[in-house]
Amino acid sequence: MTQLVPEGADDPRFSELLRATDPAAMHLRLDGKQVSGPERYGSAKAMVAAINRLEPEVRLQLSVLGDEFGPNKEDLEDILFPSLQHRLLESFAVTRRGSDRQAAIQGLNVAGLAAVEASLRVRNGVLRDLKIGTLTLFGFGTVRLENCVIGRLIISGDGNPDIVIRGGRILMIDVEEDPHIRSLEVSGVHISKRPMASQPSKEDWPVWLRLDAVAFRRLHRWAQEKEDAKLAHQMRGHQLSVDYYKADRPERFFLSLWWLFGNYGLSLWRPLLWLLLSFAILVDLLLWCGSVPGVDQIASAVGPPGGGAADGWRRVLFGDDMSAQLARAVVGATESIFSPVNVFSTRKLVVPSAPWVAVFQFFYSYLCLGLIFLFGFSIRRRFKI
């Protein structure tokens, strides 16, 4: 099967980001203590001074020590990150010394960083307005991503963080088979769920850039285990959106109908909007083509008192004035929703004058039945009833 490139990969914001890093790029290390060496620095000021002496076209790989001996986070936020606002890095990493798996910069706020690759170890921090080709996130505590443009987001490590992703654009997400996450909140972010309209050759993109549903499937299963009904509902819908483009043609037809009328269960309102639209169409058809009452007006005169077919409110169905025609149209459309098997019955309250409107009413009845089912299914899956 052809590798599908996610929609949005040609977005200008990803320009120069979706590629492999240049191995010949200069590597600078911020160690946070007095060190010796032409490419190792003990302070953010010293590193910035060295960067400013370089030509703008020089490609850089930066790494920052993230343990207790590392640089002060205020120096990073106030000195280093502002100096990198207009420079595209080959890579940026918050690393650890030795085997300290919990090493991470406490409360770090990373803003406006642009890099082909980044590996961040952050504890209780905020990542804002980043432009990263591949971001590997080792989170601890609560980590927030706000309005970030990320080609590939890899959630790794065993820190069991609370991750909040809000706004921005992400082409694809990678997670482990059993994600070590305490909680995950995703809102307002555009995650690619369909391929680009025209698929480029494989040589144009890195091998990892592909459209698949693996991460959505894993996150759906993880959310179910955590009893997070909202996230499970969300990830299941994303998974089905991707599966559509890899399904066989007969299967794709039914997935298309499901998306059209219910957005794979993600939309509670779409089935109801379709129901209202089809109701309005049938009302218009009954008004335009005409209809007649399906009950006998004389029955009320010859039958027992109060027991005639046209007694009570059903008297509004008789007449040729506009109010009677409108009443028949509304009753005919409503009757078909709640009594779909009553289409061919002789006890129908309203009968269309045109045969083709009767055929339309038949399909309308079962369409409404399906829409009500989709609405109920969405409610059940969203709220885990």
Side-chain angles (χ1 to χ4, degrees):
M1 181 178 293
T2 304
Q3 176 177 314
L4 300 178
V5 176
E7 177 191 37
D10 54 351
D11 190 316
R13 292 177 295 178
F14 289 107
S15 177
E16 295 296 319
L17 295 179
L18 305 179
R19 58 177 175 83
T21 57
D22 185 355
M26 180 181 293
H27 186 194
L28 305 182
R29 178 182 175 90
L30 180 57
D31 216 339
K33 62 180 182 178
Q34 296 299 322
V35 294
S36 60
E39 297 176 356
R40 302 182 67 185
Y41 302 90
S43 68
K45 288 183 179 179
M47 175 176 275
V48 170
I51 293 174
N52 290 337
R53 289 193 295 268
L54 298 173
E55 296 295 330
E57 61 271 11
V58 175
R59 295 186 174 184
L60 296 176
Q61 300 184 56
L62 304 186
S63 60
V64 176
L65 191 66
D67 60 18
E68 57 182 321
F69 303 104
N72 186 289
K73 83 176 187 69
E74 285 76 15
D75 288 343
L76 298 178
E77 295 173 358
D78 300 336
I79 300 174
L80 180 60
F81 294 144
S83 70
L84 301 174
Q85 291 288 329
H86 303 291
R87 182 183 284 269
L88 174 63
L89 302 176
E90 287 297 298
S91 69
F92 181 87
V94 176
T95 61
R96 57 188 172 90
R97 180 186 284 115
S99 58
D100 186 3
R101 301 179 65 183
Q102 295 293 315
I105 298 182
Q106 173 73 26
L108 181 65
N109 295 320
V110 185
L113 186 69
V116 177
E117 287 187 6
S119 176
L120 302 179
R121 304 180 67 84
V122 180
R123 184 188 303 275
N124 297 323
V126 179
L127 312 179
R128 182 181 295 110
D129 299 322
L130 305 187
K131 291 178 62 178
I132 308 290
T134 300
L135 172 60
T136 303
L137 179 62
F138 299 88
F140 305 88
T142 300
V143 181
R144 304 172 66 90
L145 286 81
E146 299 178 354
N147 299 317
C148 295
V149 176
I150 301 172
R152 180 191 188 193
L153 174 61
I154 304 173
I155 301 176
S156 190
D158 55 0
N160 291 310
D162 297 298
I163 298 178
V164 180
I165 305 176
R166 290 184 177 173
R169 184 76 164 88
I170 298 176
L171 295 184
M172 58 179 296
I173 296 179
D174 271 355
V175 296
E176 300 172 353
E177 182 70 30
D178 184 17
H180 295 284
I181 309 171
R182 184 174 180 271
S183 68
L184 176 63
E185 179 183 337
V186 180
S187 63
V189 57
H190 185 185
I191 303 175
S192 294
K193 301 179 291 293
R194 62 181 64 186
M196 289 176 57
S198 58
Q199 292 296 305
S201 63
K202 290 185 178 180
E203 292 77 13
D204 295 336
W205 306 100
V207 294
W208 55 260
L209 187 61
R210 64 190 182 279
L211 182 74
D212 64 38
V214 174
F216 297 140
R217 191 175 297 114
R218 291 175 177 176
L219 287 172
H220 171 249
R221 183 175 62 249
W222 172 84
Q224 284 184 313
E225 294 173 355
K226 293 283 187 177
E227 297 186 351
D228 188 340
K230 180 179 179 180
L231 183 66
H233 174 72
Q234 193 175 13
M235 292 299 110
R236 177 59 174 166
H238 292 345
Q239 175 194 334
L240 290 169
S241 297
V242 175
D243 286 344
Y244 166 82
Y245 296 97
K246 299 189 175 184
D248 296 332
R249 185 163 298 182
E251 205 175 329
R252 182 178 292 189
F253 172 75
F254 291 102
L255 286 172
S256 299
L257 293 180
W258 192 1
W259 171 84
L260 179 64
F261 294 113
N263 195 20
Y264 304 118
L266 288 179
S267 174
L268 299 178
W269 296 107
R270 187 178 291 190
L272 294 182
L273 292 176
W274 274 107
L275 186 65
L276 291 175
L277 177 62
S278 57
F279 177 85
I281 292 175
L282 183 57
V283 168
D284 286 342
L285 288 178
L286 290 173
L287 280 174
W288 180 48
C289 298
S291 62
V292 296
V295 292
D296 191 356
Q297 186 177 16
I298 304 176
S300 61
V302 299
D311 280 348
W313 67 268
R314 282 175 282 196
R315 292 175 181 172
V316 301
L317 301 178
F318 294 88
D320 296 326
D321 59 324
M322 189 61 190
S323 61
Q325 295 179 41
L326 180 60
R328 288 198 297 271
V330 172
V331 170
T334 305
E335 180 184 29
S336 299
I337 296 176
F338 297 101
S339 301
V341 295
N342 201 32
V343 174
F344 300 109
S345 173
T346 57
R347 302 179 62 183
K348 280 179 60 64
L349 293 174
V350 175
V351 178
S353 299
W356 69 271
V357 177
V359 174
F360 178 86
Q361 188 179 31
F362 168 78
F363 289 105
Y364 160 83
S365 298
Y366 288 95
L367 172 64
C368 291
L369 191 65
L371 291 172
I372 293 172
F373 169 79
L374 288 178
F375 175 73
F377 178 76
S378 297
I379 290 287
R380 178 184 178 278
R381 199 171 75 178
R382 168 59 184 87
F383 297 104
K384 202 177 179 180
I385 299 175

